[in-house]
Amino acid sequence: MAGILDLLNSDLGKNIISGVSGSTGTDQNKTSSVLTMALPVLMKAMERNASTPEGAQGLMGALNSKHDGSILDNLGGLFSGGVDEEVKVDGDKILGHVLGQKRQGVEQVLGQKAGLDAGSVANILKVAAPILMGILGKQSRQNNVSSQSDLSGLLGGLLGGSSTRNEQSFLEKILDADGDGSVVDDVAGMVLGGSKKKGGLGGLLGGLFGR
C-alpha cells in the first residue's frame, strides 16, 4: 500500500495541493509543506483514537457513511469556485474530533515550520481533513476494513508501516506540543540529527526543515 506521503506526490496529491492552495489563497509551496507535515500527524492522531474500541467504531462509522471516498470523485467540482462552506465546517469538526485540545498547539507548530500563521494553517487543514477522510474511506472499502485491527493495519500502512521509531516519535511529539514552538526545534534535531538518509519521512522532514 502506498503511504500517505507517496499519495501527496501523485497526480491526485498534486491536484489536492493546488486545489487547497487556491481555495485558501495560500502559497502552493507553503501549502505543500503544511500538508506534508500535517497529514501524517492527523493519521497518527487517528491511529491513537482508533486504539480504543469506541474510537475505532466511531471512525469506521464515519468511513462507512459520509466519508466513503466519494469526495475524491469530483475534486475539480470541489475546488472550482471556492470550497463549499459545508466542507470546511465538516473539516473543522473532524480536526476537533481527531486532535481535541492539541489542535491549537499542532496548528501553531506547523505554522512556524511552514512560515505561516496558525490561522492560515487552520484554513488549509479544514479543507484537507475531509479529503483525508475520503482517502481513508476509499482505502477502507478497497481493503474491506471491518474490525479494529483492520483499521489499525490500514492507518499503520498509510503511515508507512515500518516507520522508524524516531519518525513515530516526531509525530507523537508534535501531537503533544503545547504550542510554544521550542519542542519542535528539539524534535527536529532529534529526528534529523546525524541522519543522512534521503528517503522516508525523516528525509522528507529534513528537506522541510532545511537540514
Side-chain angles (χ1 to χ4, degrees), residues 96-200:
H97 185 71
V98 171
L99 296 175
Q101 63 195 35
K102 306 283 183 198
R103 179 174 173 182
Q104 218 171 353
V106 168
E107 288 170 354
Q108 283 176 347
V109 162
L110 294 174
Q112 283 164 352
K113 286 297 157 194
L116 290 168
D117 61 88
S120 299
V121 172
N123 286 336
I124 290 170
L125 296 189
K126 274 186 233 176
V127 177
I131 297 171
L132 177 62
M133 288 291 284
I135 291 166
L136 288 178
K138 198 166 192 177
Q139 294 278 359
S140 173
R141 279 215 317 274
Q142 286 170 353
N143 293 283
N144 296 320
V145 168
S146 60
S147 68
Q148 186 178 352
S149 63
D150 289 348
L151 187 61
S152 295
L154 174 70
L155 290 167
L158 280 165
L159 272 166
S162 60
S163 291
T164 67
R165 228 177 21 225
N166 272 353
E167 287 160 10
Q168 290 292 340
S169 169
F170 175 86
L171 299 179
E172 295 281 353
K173 279 274 173 58
I174 280 205
L175 283 173
D176 293 330
D178 53 12
D180 70 357
S182 62
V183 62
V184 176
D185 298 318
D186 303 341
V187 176
M190 178 187 80
V191 172
L192 308 167
S195 168
K196 297 285 178 250
K197 73 182 177 97
K198 295 288 176 217

Side-chain angles (χ1 to χ4, degrees), residues 42-52 59 152 155-157 159 168 172:
L42 290 175
M43 302 274 307
K44 187 71 190 169
M46 285 182 200
E47 191 180 48
R48 276 187 180 186
N49 294 349
S51 63
T52 66
L59 184 53
S152 295
L155 290 167
L159 272 166
Q168 290 292 340
E172 295 281 353

